């Protein structure tokens, strides 16, 4: 007999981009209709306890795509093995959370697989607690398909009663048996529970027309080639071997050839088509310029991988250019520690960078120096006015290979590197002076005193080196924001746009300039921080706020302090000028309580980043959490809730604390800054502001956070959104619908799209505040 084993795999044969769109669609799906859904879970021994738990997980995932409510989708469950057992009827649990909790508590029973009997139970009793066929009925069978008896007849009778049947394979499904159970056409009603997100999408795609409401604007159901695989163990002839057989002659045997067989696993593919809902992603608009590659990050974010020489902004907008006026000296390590290979790499980097940035009319002067024991300045500052002669001079540089005396080299350049003869004796050259240090070996002399000397001379230092040089480079520059580290040789060349930005930021105010932003600071004012350190945090917030343009059209700032409870010092729409914000920060009191970062973030979510409190739809939102790491245990969930609503959470932690906990709150290492002491906080201000401003420039989702009030549903359109209201009306569901003949408040029709520009939304905020008063 042939033993059958089936490998439960379903593969969609499409590109990674399409997989991303299918996944993104899964986050938007919500079947909202009058519908009775009954799960029929296989709880037999052939499934086993592990796969039964996976079946429960899958059922819970499907509930996320169903709008469970007494008037809309109701859910019930039967577990079957030797006999069917009603776990809960359709009218028992009437919210999604209750249903999911009850599914989790379902206990595996075990027994034989009597699928036919379970179907007869449904034929006899109907949908327990259902609405008697007055609404569409959906049966979702989750099984491996290995039934003890025939299922064809009861399956046909169930479908004749206009019950839509989905057959979901689990563990090692027998696809041909599941196909008998599924409604027509089977390719729309066969799913695989191993990939819960994909299967939930498949179920929604089939039900979306005509049962569920229409898909989200821009999303559509598409067909894709896919295949389901079965792994069968079969017997095959492997060859012959010599065996001995009896002979007619007495006391004699004769040699012969006997066949022998072996068991072999054969992968059988069942080509099919899968129907999935796909939604547009932010890369469909091709935002990356100049050959850049767009990489989507969920529904509404992306980043661009730019070609070398591009990446002046997030869209790879234009070739690098140093249109800023600076005096610039590159100081290259030529010691034995950097090796010949490292020196040549720095030379290549320097040539490519200057080719990309130095034009004919470049207002900057460039010089190049190299050092080991001694310092040489082969290219004096301003010696070459064109890129070609500058590159030729760099080509002629030779490796010297002495000791690494970085401190001495910095001091020399500060004293002698920027000597220039002014046009008139009484006119001083007041251009910013920048030194870019390229090194890959630890200094053999002290760099701290030299770095201080360089800064006293009013020079701006930028350090470039590989990752293990990070600490020394930060000592040299005094600021991690002025340090560039690379992970591998190729990554050095990817840092060219970053270097260009840092050189041209000299003397310019930081901040996001004209980018619209809603920014909230949540500051730990607990006893764990202490009064003295709290004053450091307060000074940091004050100093950071001075870099932003505060008004209704550009940046709005809110401040929250927290101990065991959170307090709003001022809301987003409280102050409309920098001076008012700075004055309010000076009055912030110290609380001295125990710390709960979770309650602070929850407070920001419900009482600060809301339309009612001045948050503007269509404007990026950032929360900066300043903490010593205490009271973070309850912060991960509210932080995730903020991110889910399109609000970035940036965690700045001072002191020693567990990185794992902090990462769960920040969501990504990119949004976590760990600082060793409160005194060092000032050095990280530029880095933090730059990260915030990157967020301010990223694409925005007009529906996150939800601008619709009173449980209104925000529906995105191209460049706009509209609010779907129930019992309320107006563009944002702000006016209660009045009954009878009483006059109605003038409002837009509920389904008319609201056209808001990303910056012009403050008028709605003001009108709303006025109406609340």
């Amino acid at each position: 007999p042939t033993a059958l084993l089936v490998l439960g795999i379903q593969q969609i044969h499409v590109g990674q981009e399409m997989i991303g769109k299918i996944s993104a669609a899964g986050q938007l799906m919500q079947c909202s209709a009058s519908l009775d859904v009954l799960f029929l879970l296989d709880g037999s021994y052939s499934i086993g306890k592990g796969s039964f738990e996976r079946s429960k997980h899958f059922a819970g995932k499907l509930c996320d795509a169903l709008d469970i409510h007494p008037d809309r989708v109701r859910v019930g469950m039967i577990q079957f093995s030797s006999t069917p057992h009603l776990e809960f009827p359709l009218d028992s649990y009437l919210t999604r959370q209750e249903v999911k909790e009850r599914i989790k508590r379902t206990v595996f029973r075990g027994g034989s697989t009597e699928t036919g009997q379970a179907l007869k139970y449904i034929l006899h009793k109907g949908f327990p607690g259902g609405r008697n066929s007055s609404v569409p009925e959906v049966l979702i069978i989750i099984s491996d398909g290995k039934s003890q008896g025939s299922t064809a007849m009861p399956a046909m009778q169930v479908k004749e009663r206009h019950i839509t049947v989905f057959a979901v394979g689990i563990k090692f499904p027998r696809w041909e048996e599941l196909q008998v159970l599924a409604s027509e056409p089977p390719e729309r009603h066969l799913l695989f529970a191993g990939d819960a997100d994909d299967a939930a999408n498949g179920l929604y795609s089939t039900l979306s027309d005509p049962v569920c409401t229409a898909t989200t604007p821009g999303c559509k159901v598409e067909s894709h080639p896919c295949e389901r695989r079965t792994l069968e163990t079969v017997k095959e002839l492997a060859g012959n071997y010599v065996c001995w057989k009896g002979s007619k002659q007495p006391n004699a045997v004769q040699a012969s050839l006997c066949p022998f067989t072996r068991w072999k696993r054969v992968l059988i593919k069942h080509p099919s088509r899968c129907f999935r809902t796909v939604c547009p992603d932010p890369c469909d608009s091709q935002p990356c310029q100049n050959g850049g590659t767009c990489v989507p990050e969920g529904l509404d974010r992306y980043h661009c991988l730019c070609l070398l020489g591009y990446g002046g902004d997030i869209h790879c907008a234009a070739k690098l250019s140093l249109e800023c006026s600076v005096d610039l000296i590159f100081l290259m390590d030529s010691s034995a520690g950097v090796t010949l290979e490292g020196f040549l790499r720095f030379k290549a980097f320097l040539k490519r960078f200057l080719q990309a940035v130095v034009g004919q009319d470049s207002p900057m002067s460039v010089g190049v120096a190299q050092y080991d024991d001694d310092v040489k300045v082969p290219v004096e500052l301003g010696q070459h006015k064109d890129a070609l002669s500058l590159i030729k001079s760099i080509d002629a540089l030779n490796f010297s290979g002495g000791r690494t005396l970085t401190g001495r080299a910095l001091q020399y350049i500060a004293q002698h590197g920027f000597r220039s003869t002014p046009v008139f004796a009484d006119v001083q050259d007041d251009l910013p002076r920048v030194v870019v240090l390229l090194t890959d070996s630890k200094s053999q002399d002290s760099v701290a005193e030299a770095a201080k000397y360089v800064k006293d001379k009013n020079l701006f230092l930028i350090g470039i080196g590989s990752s293990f040089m990070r600490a020394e480079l930060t000592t040299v520059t005094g600021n991690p924001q002025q340090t560039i580290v690379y992970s591998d040789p190729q990554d050095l060349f990817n840092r060219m746009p970053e270097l260009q930005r840092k050189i041209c930021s000299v003397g310019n105010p930081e901040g996001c300039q004209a980018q619209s932003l809603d920014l909230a600071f949540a500051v730990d004012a607990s006893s764990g921080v202490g009064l003295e350190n709290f004053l450091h945090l307060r000074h940091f917030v004050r100093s950071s706020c001075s870099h932003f343009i505060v008004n209704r059209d550009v940046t709005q700032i809110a401040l929250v302090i927290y101990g065991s409870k959170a307090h709003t010092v001022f809301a987003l729409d409280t102050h409309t000028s920098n001076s008012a914000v700075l004055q309010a920060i000076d009055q912030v009191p110290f609380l001295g309580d125990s710390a709960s970062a979770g309650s602070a973030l929850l407070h920001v979510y419900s009482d600060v980043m809301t339309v009612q409190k001045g948050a503007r739809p269509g404007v990026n939102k950032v929360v900066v959490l300043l903490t010593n790491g205490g009271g973070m245990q309850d912060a991960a969930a509210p932080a995730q809730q903020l991110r889910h609503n399109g609000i970035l959470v940036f965690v700045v932690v001072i002191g020693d604390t567990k990185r794992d906990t902090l990462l769960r709150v920040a969501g990504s290492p990119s949004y976590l800054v760990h600082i060793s002491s409160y005194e060092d906080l000032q050095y990280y201000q530029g880095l933090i502001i730059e990260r915030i401003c990157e967020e301010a420039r990223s694409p925005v989702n007009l529906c996150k956070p939800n601008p619709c009030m009173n449980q209104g549903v925000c529906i995105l359109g191209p460049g706009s959104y509209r609010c779907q209201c129930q019992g309320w009306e107006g563009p944002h569901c702000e006016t209660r619908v009045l009954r009878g003949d009483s006059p109605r408040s003038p409002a837009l029709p509920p389904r008319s799209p609201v056209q808001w520009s990303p910056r012009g939304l403050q008028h709605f905020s003001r009108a709303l505040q006025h109406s609340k008063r």
Side-chain angles (χ1 to χ4, degrees):
T2 302
L4 273 179
L5 283 176
V6 183
L7 183 66
I9 297 175
Q10 173 175 289
Q11 290 188 337
I12 299 180
H13 289 259
V14 291
Q16 196 58 42
E17 180 187 358
M18 186 58 73
I19 294 288
K21 290 188 177 185
I22 289 170
S23 172
Q27 299 174 46
L28 295 173
M29 296 182 311
Q30 183 85 170
C31 183
S32 188
S34 293
L35 188 67
D36 282 352
V37 176
L38 182 63
F39 285 106
L40 193 58
L41 252 66
D42 186 343
S44 65
Y45 288 130
S46 67
I47 281 282
K49 193 168 181 183
S51 291
F52 183 73
E53 290 300 316
R54 279 192 289 278
S55 298
K56 283 163 54 180
H57 170 73
F58 171 72
K61 268 284 188 188
L62 284 193
C63 290
D64 289 334
L66 302 173
D67 185 9
I68 298 172
H69 185 274
D71 300 328
R72 294 186 285 278
V73 182
R74 294 187 184 182
V75 174
M77 179 182 282
I78 293 172
Q79 182 183 168
F80 73 93
S81 49
S82 307
T83 56
H85 173 80
L86 177 62
E87 293 291 347
F88 58 93
L90 285 104
D91 54 1
S92 289
Y93 303 103
L94 302 175
T95 69
R96 183 184 298 137
Q97 197 56 41
E98 287 175 352
V99 171
K100 290 179 73 170
E101 286 298 325
R102 178 60 183 83
I103 290 171
K104 279 184 187 173
R105 294 200 305 271
T106 304
V107 178
F108 176 67
R109 293 179 173 273
S112 57
T113 315
E114 299 289 350
T115 313
Q117 273 196 38
L119 294 173
K120 286 174 186 172
Y121 175 91
I122 290 165
L123 286 167
H124 179 61
K125 302 229 176 186
F127 273 34
R131 285 169 274 189
N132 301 321
S133 305
S134 63
V135 300
E137 295 178 324
V138 175
L139 179 65
I140 302 174
I141 305 170
I142 308 177
S143 171
D144 60 2
K146 299 174 185 174
S147 180
Q148 311 303 129
S150 172
T151 58
M153 184 57 71
M156 185 180 73
Q157 290 171 329
V158 166
K159 287 179 271 187
E160 282 173 351
R161 291 201 184 178
H162 304 293
I163 296 171
T164 304
V165 183
F166 286 88
V168 183
I170 189 74
K171 195 179 180 183
F172 303 124
R174 202 171 277 169
W175 291 111
E176 61 273 19
E177 288 196 27
L178 291 175
Q179 191 158 332
V180 171
L181 299 174
S183 290
E184 293 291 332
E187 60 269 17
R188 276 185 176 263
H189 295 86
L190 269 182
L191 305 170
F192 175 55
D195 188 341
D197 290 322
D198 174 56
N201 188 323
L203 176 99
Y204 178 84
S205 303
T206 301
L207 291 178
S208 61
D209 184 26
V211 181
C212 302
T213 51
T215 54
T216 307
C219 302
K220 56 187 175 186
V221 177
E222 289 187 2
S223 158
H224 302 291
C226 59
E227 63 182 29
R228 300 180 176 92
R229 299 180 176 189
T230 304
L231 195 64
E232 293 188 3
T233 305
V234 297
K235 201 176 184 181
E236 71 167 11
L237 181 67
N240 297 298
Y241 66 97
V242 177
C243 58
W244 301 98
K245 293 187 176 180
S247 171
K248 291 178 182 178
Q249 298 171 6
N251 303 322
V253 291
Q254 65 181 39
S256 180
L257 289 175
C258 298
F260 72 94
T261 57
R262 67 178 172 200
W263 293 97
K264 182 181 179 184
R265 287 188 168 185
V266 181
L267 192 67
I268 298 173
K269 298 176 183 177
H270 305 270
S272 184
R273 294 199 75 75
C274 292
F275 289 82
R276 298 294 181 266
T277 299
V278 293
C279 294
D281 65 35
C283 288
D284 285 349
S285 60
Q286 298 180 326
C288 304
Q289 304 165 16
N290 300 310
T293 303
C294 182
V295 180
E297 296 173 348
L299 293 172
D300 51 10
R301 293 182 180 222
Y302 64 88
H303 68 270
C304 295
L305 297 175
C306 304
L307 296 176
L308 189 64
Y310 296 91
D313 68 3
I314 59 166
H315 300 114
C316 316
K319 191 173 180 180
L320 289 171
S321 65
L322 284 177
E323 292 304 316
C324 46
S325 298
V326 292
D327 286 344
L328 177 64
I329 290 181
F330 288 92
L331 179 60
M332 276 203 301
D333 187 347
S334 179
S335 67
V338 81
T339 71
L340 174 61
E341 182 187 0
F343 178 75
L344 294 175
R345 186 184 309 132
F346 283 146
K347 261 180 70 171
F349 171 78
L350 195 49
K351 282 165 58 180
R352 283 165 73 173
F353 179 76
L354 292 173
Q355 277 173 329
V357 300
V358 177
Q360 280 189 330
D361 304 317
S362 179
M364 59 184 290
S365 298
V366 178
V368 181
Q370 66 181 91
Y371 74 93
D372 49 3
D373 297 85
D374 296 313
V375 185
K376 298 174 190 165
V377 188
V379 182
E380 295 278 355
L381 188 69
Q383 182 180 335
H384 299 289
K385 293 296 180 190
D386 64 287
L388 190 62
S389 59
L390 187 58
I391 301 305
K392 280 184 180 176
S393 297
I394 293 169
D395 266 333
L397 300 181
N398 293 314
F399 179 63
S400 46
R403 291 180 299 159
T404 312
L405 301 183
T406 307
R408 182 178 171 183
L410 286 168
Q411 201 145 352
Y412 180 90
I413 290 298
Q415 285 177 325
H416 308 292
F418 290 93
R419 284 184 173 175
S420 58
T421 308
V423 180
F424 303 103
D426 58 343
V427 176
Q428 292 300 312
D429 181 4
D430 60 352
L431 289 181
R433 295 173 169 184
V434 182
V435 178
V436 178
L437 171 68
L438 297 122
T439 179
D440 243 351
S441 56
K442 294 284 176 72
S443 179
Q444 292 169 266
D445 64 348
S446 170
V447 293
E449 282 302 313
K452 187 175 183 307
Y453 180 80
V454 169
K455 284 172 204 147
D456 289 343
K457 286 278 188 183
N458 245 351
L459 303 184
F460 185 87
L461 264 173
I462 298 171
I464 301 177
S466 54
S467 302
F468 83 97
M469 289 294 296
R470 186 189 298 271
E472 184 169 303
L473 290 172
T474 303
T475 303
V476 169
T477 62
N479 186 347
Q481 179 64 11
Q482 291 161 227
T483 300
I484 298 173
V485 295
Y486 57 91
S487 53
D488 56 62
Q490 181 52 46
D491 189 39
L492 169 63
F493 294 93
N494 296 337
R495 302 291 172 175
M496 284 169 52
E498 190 180 349
L499 175 59
Q500 181 259 346
R501 285 199 302 275
K502 289 190 190 311
I503 292 170
C504 280
S505 71
V506 179
N508 291 339
E510 293 158 306
C512 307
Q513 303 303 314
Q515 294 292 336
S516 296
L517 179 69
D518 284 347
L519 173 62
F521 288 94
V523 182
D524 188 342
S526 68
S527 54
V529 169
L531 175 59
E532 187 181 344
N533 292 332
F534 173 73
L535 294 177
H536 276 294
L537 294 179
R538 195 173 78 176
H539 175 74
F540 174 81
V541 172
R542 191 184 195 285
S543 174
S544 299
C545 289
S546 66
H547 289 288
F548 294 92
I549 301 167
V550 178
N551 62 44
R552 289 276 185 263
D553 297 316
V554 188
T555 304
Q556 292 191 146
I557 296 178
L559 176 59
V560 170
I561 57 171
Y562 71 91
S564 57
K565 291 181 180 174
H567 306 272
T568 302
V569 178
F570 51 85
L572 288 166
D573 58 355
T574 305
H575 298 302
T576 57
S577 70
N578 286 69
S579 57
V581 166
L582 299 180
Q583 197 173 345
I585 292 170
D586 288 338
Q587 310 303 316
V588 177
F590 175 63
L591 299 176
D593 200 351
S594 60
S596 171
S599 61
L601 293 177
L602 206 56
H603 179 82
V604 170
Y605 175 79
S606 57
D607 289 324
V608 176
M609 287 294 186
T610 64
V611 170
Q612 295 92 320
K613 296 293 173 75
R616 296 165 292 175
V619 172
N620 278 303
K621 291 166 177 55
V622 178
V623 179
V624 179
L625 179 68
L626 290 158
T627 173
N628 70 341
M632 299 291 280
Q633 303 83 349
D634 58 350
Q640 182 56 40
Q641 203 170 4
L642 284 161
R643 277 192 293 277
H644 181 69
N645 276 271
I647 303 165
L648 175 75
V649 179
F650 200 97
V651 180
V652 180
V653 63
I654 302 98
D656 188 28
T657 189
K658 289 185 180 176
R659 186 172 170 82
D660 291 350
T661 309
L662 299 171
L663 270 176
R664 282 198 296 276
V665 179
S668 159
S670 305
Y671 303 125
L672 174 62
V673 175
H674 208 144
I675 303 171
S676 56
S677 71
Y678 287 88
E679 289 74 20
D680 289 345
L681 191 57
Q682 56 179 323
Y683 298 133
Y684 288 80
Q685 182 176 281
L687 169 72
I688 292 163
I689 289 174
E690 184 176 295
R691 293 273 175 83
I692 292 169
C693 293
E694 281 174 10
E695 180 63 20
R697 290 189 289 270
S698 67
V700 70
N701 182 340
L702 291 169
C703 280
K704 286 193 173 183
N706 186 3
C708 308
M709 299 158 61
N710 301 307
Q711 282 76 52
V713 177
C714 180
I715 297 172
L716 271 178
S720 66
Y721 67 87
R722 65 182 174 84
C723 289
Q724 200 171 64
C725 313
Q726 288 193 357
W728 297 77
E729 60 185 2
H732 296 88
C733 312
E734 68 272 21
T735 308
R736 186 183 289 280
V737 175
L738 300 174
R739 304 293 175 196
D741 298 323
S742 53
R744 294 156 64 92
S745 302
L748 290 174
R751 296 186 65 82
S752 64
V754 184
Q755 296 284 351
W756 292 118
S757 70
R759 287 196 196 143
L761 297 155
Q762 67 279 6
H763 306 296
F764 166 64
S765 253
R766 290 183 201 143
L768 183 60
Q769 288 297 315
H770 182 72
S771 69
K772 285 170 75 72
R773 291 188 196 109

